[in-house]
Amino acid sequence: MLDTPEAVVEALRENHERPHGTQRTVTAEELVEAAEVFDEPDTLVTALLELMTAYEFTGEQRKSPVVFARLLKLWDTAPESFSPWEAHQVFWRFKWVTTSLLQVPEVPLDTVRGWIDRMRERYEEAGHGMQPVAAMRHHVAAHIGTGVEDAYDLWVTRPRTELSDCEACETRHRAWHRVAAGDDAAALDAWRPVLAGQQSCSEEPQTSQARALLPLLRLGRTDEARSHHLTGYRRVRGSTGMQHEVGLHLEFCALSRNEGRGLEVLAENRPLFGATGAPLDRLGFLTGVEVLLARLVEDGHGETPVAGPPGRNWTAGELLGHVSAEADRLAAAFDARNGTTAVGDRRRERLARRPLLDEPLPLGLRTAAAPRTPADATPAAPAAAGPGTPGVPGDFVALVAEARRLNHLGHPGDSRLWTRIAERLADGSAAHDDRLGPEELLRAELAEERAYRLRQKDEDAESGAELETAAGLYEELGMEWRALAARARALAWTTGEGDADAGRDEAVRVRLDRLVREAERLTDEAPLTGEKPGDGEVAAGVDVAADRVVAYFTVLYADAYAAYREAMRRDPEESGSAPERFREAVGRLRAEAERLGVPHQVANARQFVADEAGRRGDVALAESELRAALVDIEASERPWRGSRPRALLAQVMLSRQEPAEAAELLHRAIADAVRYDDGDFPLAPTYSLLGHASSHLGDHAGAVRHLSEAAARFDREGEHGEAADVRMQLAGVLTEAGRQADAVAVLESLLSEESAAALDERMVAQIRLSLARGLRELEEYLPSAEEFLRLAGTVSGWEEEDDAPIRTLVTADTAVALALADRWEAAEAAYERALAAHAEAPNPPMIVRMAREFARLTTAVRGDEGVEAALAHLVRADGVLDAVPADVEGFAVWYERGEVHYRRARVLAEAERFEEALAEAEAAIGVHEEGGEHGELPRAEAVRFAALVEGNGLGRTDEAIARLTTAAARCRNAGRPEAAQILTALREEYMARPRG
């Protein structure tokens, strides 16, 4: 009931605690009406200020001037009704009204300028400085595009006053001035204090983060752009007061080639289409939407469903037309009001922008894929080949000849050429030419290429059928070596994956042995000489001598590969036929390669040995074989073969704690794979490994970049489980780097409905736990509690014995999260559930930490009234620790006991029970002694607090100084200079005090 002024004031206080949004704004309007009933101007002043705040931060600036006019009238007639803070707000909010009027094109420019004149007069009468007035004139000049430099100089050369915008907002305006002048580098330099978190306010850094995205992209600072999109977007998502910033994030998605992410952002902000209270910001939002939609339509996705204004379904093309029409009208209205073309020019400049990157910038997020290009759309031009990749000849005969040459070399660039050959034959732009030899030869070669592609998709049966087709064609042509090689490859690729396939494996072994013997027979009849391509006779378009060598080693490699797969399925310690067959087959491959001088095949044999050795734990052998393989590859003059052994060697070096060399190897492996157009090289896991190596080197920026790339590639390959695992690693790296907000954004993307549906329930639970804890670190306590509650609901259904301690952990964390979110009734219920869970499945660390946190929060919320309750929580923690065996592994009982003493000392000190507090602090010091070097830091903190109790609570300054002197020296000796510095600073503070 709002039947008294006091009730209205209390309701205003409660409303002020709500987040900005429709509910807060509507309630503020109702409270103004309620305040008007009473003859209490001070209540009405408070209500009007609250309403104006609600309008300002929910994009309802049209309504602010009317509210402020009422406030000014009260200021003139009843100034005594304003508290000092409210009086200050009267002058402060002159600026809000100026920017609000500028937002509305129906308000004449003379009215805006006249308002600034009134502001100047009021400031002069009250003795305030003119810098805020100059700032408002600069905002007008920047908006209309005339007199900007003069207005800027008049503003920035005046000293700041207590009514100036906060430093963070002024920094933004200075930086934006430089962006408008075309100097992105200077703008970002000016922005540094805000973007680095040194300056902030209710609008910052999220406003600057959105505005800095384009300058960062233009300067190639993509790591920073990624981070500011992740963290900045979370702060503006769904906010009607941040429409323009949402539009800038949409634009960023389009310009960084993340159209799929842009569509998700658009869907999350669909309600903004109904926000019309700030027309200038609405224009910024609509233009960002238009940039994204234009990119989709230009790429042939005009029929793609997209999120638009509620009430109907929209395609990208339809929404583009709708948005464009409204935005054009708004821009024209502003330009007509202003008498310039500045607003329209800025809009046209945004719409003219095109993507700034050749490939999508990996954001580290699980994002819906961008729409696929329609079948009838004009295909994009093929990507330019890398510097080590041969081009695609236009002449068909030259094209086939080049594909054959590369195929004989084992160059990965041949795949692109075979694909082009097949396309030209299919679309009729080329036909077989007799200069290429028999048509059956080309058909067989294309069948082999199709088989390889099918093999990459794990379609083994279809792959085998294509190889049999190729073998048959080769036999018809009398090319027995080629037929033999095709059949050997088909057999090797069909070896099974488990013991259930043992019978099939035996059949494969028998047939492969037969093919190997046939190959040996052929070499006896016509000995091989190891000729290189071009050295032998040419028949039917094929270099016969070189072809025989290639086919022979294809058979030997297939045999070794089949033996390798069988050996890798067996236990590493298992003896018997599989290991023996592996050694025999690989040994034969290596011996023949050495005899015939084919070093790249020697390297292949070494890689088999290295992989098998690594599985057995013989890291030294694996390393030596891989290093030797790289020497062989160098001798073979086939550098494109080096990527795989380098990646394998990198794994070995990581296992040996040598991340620097691992990173170098992985960089080279990736670079060569790209350079030589090796489309089959596993780039996704290699980038993941490189991210891991970078993390170990402390290169967090590199780790984030590489893990983001890995996740994006895994997604494109349909490996969503692998992608999620990489993103979990990415979130861990971001957290370690102190970028918790970035980590939370990554984790949130993994829990979207589409993403979570593709993941295992336990992985989803792990992601949710990390997210809940991340939100807690960001002090987003209510969202954190909500995630913990969802997690508790999930794990409650887990019934395996090993899951019981997990339920205890989650329930305890949930209790703390609810307490932090000020949901005490639910928190206390969860607390009791955690204790009950602990009784069934003990988890001492979580219960002790829960009890300590409840003790801290209880005194923080209830003050002196909560002391006994807080102490009771700590008694419970003592009881849990008493039940833990002294020799338990993985749990530092000394640390937890010391922290309980420390927390009890703080509770008692807050209750001014200083003697008891000192005793508990000293107990904490003593217990932390048990931790040795690991206990030095918590011990130093306990000493510091004991000294505070002595010096401030008990007045024993000399004792405190002596304690601090000894402890600081101890910390220095223990290699803890920062702790020593903290203790010394407190000691010096006490030393400076006068003592009787």
Side-chain angles (χ1 to χ4, degrees):
M1 292 292 291
L2 302 175
D3 52 1
T4 66
E6 291 75 18
V8 173
V9 171
E10 180 59 30
L12 286 167
R13 186 178 297 110
E14 291 178 4
N15 196 46
H16 188 74
E17 296 301 318
R18 292 191 177 100
H20 289 293
T22 302
Q23 181 183 1
R24 178 169 172 176
T25 301
V26 170
T27 302
E29 291 173 335
E30 293 171 349
L31 291 174
V32 167
E33 294 178 3
E36 288 173 330
V37 174
F38 309 106
D39 188 20
E40 297 279 355
D42 53 343
T43 303
L44 182 56
V45 166
T46 304
L48 289 169
L49 285 168
E50 170 62 22
L51 178 57
M52 194 174 179
T53 299
Y55 286 154
E56 179 69 19
F57 290 98
T58 53
E60 293 286 352
Q61 282 92 336
R62 283 181 182 271
K63 302 177 181 180
S64 284
V66 175
V67 178
F68 190 68
R70 297 182 64 185
L71 276 169
L72 271 186
K73 184 175 181 180
L74 286 168
W75 175 253
D76 290 335
T77 58
E80 70 282 355
S81 301
F82 290 74
S83 69
W85 180 84
E86 291 168 338
H88 177 81
Q89 287 298 303
V90 169
F91 291 97
W92 183 269
R93 298 193 186 194
F94 265 102
K95 298 180 295 180
W96 288 13
V97 175
T98 301
T99 54
S100 295
L101 294 172
L102 209 57
Q103 279 273 348
V104 184
E106 293 84 359
V107 176
L109 205 57
D110 286 344
T111 300
V112 180
R113 288 173 170 147
W115 186 262
I116 296 175
D117 289 340
R118 290 181 64 189
M119 175 182 173
R120 176 184 57 78
E121 292 167 1
R122 293 275 186 164
Y123 275 40
E124 284 180 343
E125 290 174 5
H128 294 303
M130 291 295 107
Q131 194 258 17
V133 177
M136 292 302 102
R137 287 183 171 143
H138 167 251
H139 294 339
V140 173
H143 173 68
I144 65 176
T146 61
V148 180
E149 290 300 329
D150 288 344
Y152 180 80
D153 289 342
L154 285 172
W155 166 46
V156 297
T157 55
R158 292 177 182 268
R160 284 175 50 80
T161 76
E162 64 175 1
L163 289 170
S164 296
D165 282 344
C166 76
E167 287 185 302
C169 288
E170 288 204 342
T171 293
R172 176 181 77 243
H173 291 307
R174 287 190 174 95
W176 197 241
H177 178 75
R178 288 170 172 81
V179 171
D183 193 344
D184 289 338
L188 291 168
D189 188 57
W191 248 320
R192 188 176 294 115
V194 173
L195 297 179
Q198 298 163 4
Q199 297 175 355
S200 63
C201 67
S202 61
E203 297 179 16
E204 293 293 351
Q206 61 268 32
T207 303
S208 288
Q209 286 176 314
R211 283 164 169 72
L213 291 172
L214 179 59
L216 287 167
L217 274 185
R218 285 194 293 228
L219 291 178
R221 292 163 61 172
T222 52
D223 288 347
E224 295 165 82
R226 176 195 299 110
S227 177
H228 290 311
H229 171 65
L230 294 182
T231 59
Y233 173 67
R234 287 190 71 250
R235 293 170 179 259
V236 304
R237 178 176 55 200
S239 172
T240 54
M242 289 283 177
Q243 292 180 81
H244 181 61
E245 286 67 31
V246 172
L248 292 173
H249 282 280
L250 288 167
E251 179 182 54
F252 165 79
C253 292
L255 300 184
S256 65
R257 295 190 181 273
N258 279 284
E259 292 88 349
R261 166 67 171 168
L263 291 178
E264 290 185 353
V265 171
L266 187 63
E268 289 179 334
N269 292 276
R270 191 174 191 179
L272 297 190
F273 284 105
T276 59
L280 187 59
D281 285 346
R282 180 174 179 80
L283 176 60
F285 168 67
L286 294 176
T287 303
V289 173
E290 193 173 350
V291 171
L292 174 66
L293 296 175
R295 289 292 313 137
L296 292 169
V297 171
E298 286 173 14
D299 285 347
H301 306 305
E303 297 304 312
T304 299
V306 297
R312 58 161 288 186
N313 295 324
W314 297 88
T315 66
E318 292 167 343
L319 184 58
L320 176 61
H322 175 83
V323 166
S324 177
E326 182 183 353
D328 281 344
R329 287 195 298 271
L330 276 174
F334 279 110
D335 284 345
R337 188 271 301 271
N338 299 336
T340 68
T341 62
V343 173
D345 289 344
R346 286 192 287 270
R347 169 173 155 72
R348 285 184 284 274
E349 181 185 353
R350 289 180 69 183
L351 294 176
R353 290 171 185 152
R354 291 297 179 268
L356 297 168
L357 305 174
D358 294 331
E359 297 291 337
L361 172 64
L363 299 177
L365 302 173
R366 171 69 171 98
T367 305
R372 297 184 178 217
T373 302
D376 58 349
T378 302
T389 304
V392 180
D395 177 73
F396 188 69
V397 172
L399 175 63
V400 175
E402 180 65 1
R404 287 171 173 170
R405 184 184 75 84
L406 294 181
N407 178 265
H408 275 272
L409 288 172
H411 192 298
D414 74 322
S415 290
R416 192 157 51 91
L417 303 189
W418 289 119
T419 299
R420 185 61 183 143
I421 291 167
E423 289 172 349
R424 292 193 62 181
L425 289 173
D427 65 18
S429 63
H432 185 266
D433 190 297
D434 290 342
R435 289 174 291 174
L436 297 174
E439 184 176 354
E440 290 79 7
L441 173 60
L442 184 56
R443 286 167 50 202
E445 289 167 324
L446 289 171
E448 282 196 288
E449 180 62 22
R450 288 194 298 273
Y452 186 72
R453 293 296 135 215
L454 289 165
R455 165 66 177 165
Q456 298 302 104
K457 299 176 183 177
D458 293 324
E459 297 178 14
D460 293 342
E462 295 83 351
S463 174
E466 290 287 353
L467 285 168
E468 285 297 332
T469 297
L473 289 167
Y474 286 135
E475 284 180 337
E476 291 177 15
L477 293 167
M479 303 176 74
E480 56 185 341
W481 272 114
R482 286 269 188 112
L484 196 66
R487 290 203 167 98
R489 188 179 293 160
L491 287 170
W493 287 354
T494 56
T495 51
E497 296 291 346
D499 292 335
D501 298 311
R504 185 173 65 177
D505 285 352
E506 177 62 28
V508 167
R509 280 196 297 272
V510 170
R511 294 176 65 188
L512 270 174
D513 286 343
R514 189 179 303 131
L515 293 178
V516 170
R517 288 196 299 273
E518 177 66 11
E520 290 172 341
R521 183 188 66 78
L522 290 172
T523 59
D524 289 340
E525 291 179 357
L528 302 175
T529 57
E531 298 96 333
K532 295 181 181 179
D535 291 344
E537 59 178 316
V538 176
V542 176
D543 189 325
V544 177
D547 195 53
R548 293 169 62 211
V549 174
V550 170
Y552 177 55
F553 278 106
T554 299
V555 174
L556 297 186
Y557 182 89
D559 185 47
Y561 177 72
Y564 160 78
R565 292 189 70 189
E566 184 179 359
M568 294 297 279
R569 290 198 304 273
R570 304 291 183 246
D571 187 283
E573 304 302 322
E574 180 181 328
S575 59
S577 62
E580 181 59 32
R581 174 174 166 73
F582 170 75
R583 287 190 291 271
E584 179 184 343
V586 172
R588 179 166 49 232
L589 173 64
R590 177 171 173 175
E592 287 296 278
E594 288 174 340
R595 180 177 72 84
L596 293 171
V598 186
H600 71 272
Q601 291 290 358
V602 177
N604 284 339
R606 291 187 186 278
Q607 288 178 67
F608 282 134
V609 172
D611 210 6
E612 193 271 341
R615 183 167 177 265
R616 287 188 289 102
D618 190 346
V619 177
L621 177 59
E623 180 183 351
S624 65
E625 287 293 308
L626 288 169
R627 291 193 188 280
L630 289 170
V631 173
D632 291 329
I633 287 169
E634 185 175 351
S636 75
E637 298 181 353
R638 300 185 179 197
W640 51 85
R641 290 185 172 273
S643 291
R644 283 167 178 78
R646 282 193 177 88
L648 291 171
L649 181 56
Q651 293 181 54
V652 172
M653 301 317 294
L654 275 175
S655 73
R656 301 189 66 162
Q657 305 301 313
E658 296 287 348
E661 184 178 359
E664 183 180 345
L665 288 163
L666 292 165
H667 276 296
R668 174 74 183 276
I670 291 170
D672 282 352
V674 173
R675 180 183 184 187
Y676 296 112
D677 197 23
D678 190 350
D680 298 324
F681 180 74
L683 282 170
T686 306
Y687 272 111
S688 176
L689 202 62
L690 181 53
H692 187 60
S694 300
S695 176
H696 277 276
L697 288 169
D699 177 12
H700 292 118
V704 168
R705 185 163 55 251
H706 303 316
L707 291 172
S708 297
E709 180 71 33
R713 288 180 177 275
F714 275 127
D715 272 338
R716 289 200 292 272
E717 295 166 10
E719 299 288 345
H720 300 307
E722 296 287 348
D725 185 64
V726 169
R727 288 190 172 96
M728 284 289 287
Q729 296 177 50
L730 172 59
V733 169
L734 289 166
T735 299
E736 184 180 334
R739 293 164 55 184
Q740 189 67 68
D742 295 52
V744 162
V746 171
L747 295 168
E748 284 179 334
S749 77
L750 285 171
L751 290 178
S752 67
E753 184 175 345
E754 179 184 353
S755 302
L759 301 178
D760 174 77
E761 181 184 64
R762 289 180 180 267
M763 176 173 275
V764 171
Q766 182 59 55
I767 294 167
R768 200 174 298 284
L769 176 62
S770 298
L771 174 59
R773 288 176 171 174
L775 290 166
R776 185 174 64 196
E777 289 298 312
L778 293 177
E779 299 184 2
E780 298 182 27
Y781 296 130
L782 186 55
S784 172
E786 290 168 350
E787 291 297 336
F788 273 122
L789 286 168
R790 293 187 186 101
L791 179 59
T794 298
V795 302
S796 65
W798 294 357
E799 297 181 354
E800 294 181 19
E801 185 176 345
D802 292 343
D803 293 330
I806 296 175
R807 290 196 293 273
T808 305
L809 177 152
V810 171
T811 310
D813 256 341
T814 303
V816 173
L818 289 164
L820 288 167
D822 201 28
R823 300 295 193 268
W824 278 95
E825 184 175 347
E828 288 166 356
Y831 184 98
E832 294 301 324
R833 287 197 301 274
L835 293 176
H838 175 71
E840 293 184 8
N843 194 327
M846 292 308 304
I847 298 300
V848 171
R849 290 164 198 170
M850 176 185 73
R852 285 206 316 267
E853 192 67 357
F854 264 71
R856 181 183 72 83
L857 293 171
T858 298
T859 53
V861 172
R862 295 170 56 188
D864 290 345
E865 295 179 4
V867 170
E868 293 307 319
L871 292 174
H873 288 304
L874 297 173
V875 168
R876 182 170 283 122
D878 283 332
V880 171
L881 291 171
D882 288 341
V884 177
D887 58 349
V888 68
E889 293 184 7
F891 180 39
V893 178
W894 63 267
Y895 174 78
E896 299 295 344
R897 196 178 296 282
E899 289 302 286
V900 171
H901 282 298
Y902 174 79
R903 177 53 55 194
R904 188 178 285 113
R906 295 202 66 133
V907 170
L908 291 166
E910 289 170 16
E912 298 187 1
R913 292 160 59 175
F914 296 120
E915 289 288 0
E916 295 172 81
L918 181 59
E920 286 296 324
E922 289 179 332
I925 296 168
V927 173
H928 284 312
E929 287 276 1
E930 299 174 18
E933 63 179 84
H934 299 294
E936 287 297 333
L937 287 180
R939 181 188 182 281
E941 170 56 23
V943 168
R944 186 192 70 84
F945 190 74
L948 286 172
V949 173
E950 282 180 319
N952 296 339
L954 298 171
R956 302 172 188 168
T957 308
D958 291 339
E959 289 88 338
I961 291 171
R963 183 190 296 275
L964 292 165
T965 302
T966 302
R970 173 175 174 144
C971 286
R972 281 190 292 271
N973 292 335
R976 302 289 187 179
E978 293 181 359
Q981 185 178 359
I982 292 170
L983 296 172
T984 300
L986 181 57
R987 175 183 176 276
E988 290 174 352
E989 179 186 328
Y990 282 160
M991 291 286 289
R993 289 184 183 178
R995 299 193 297 279

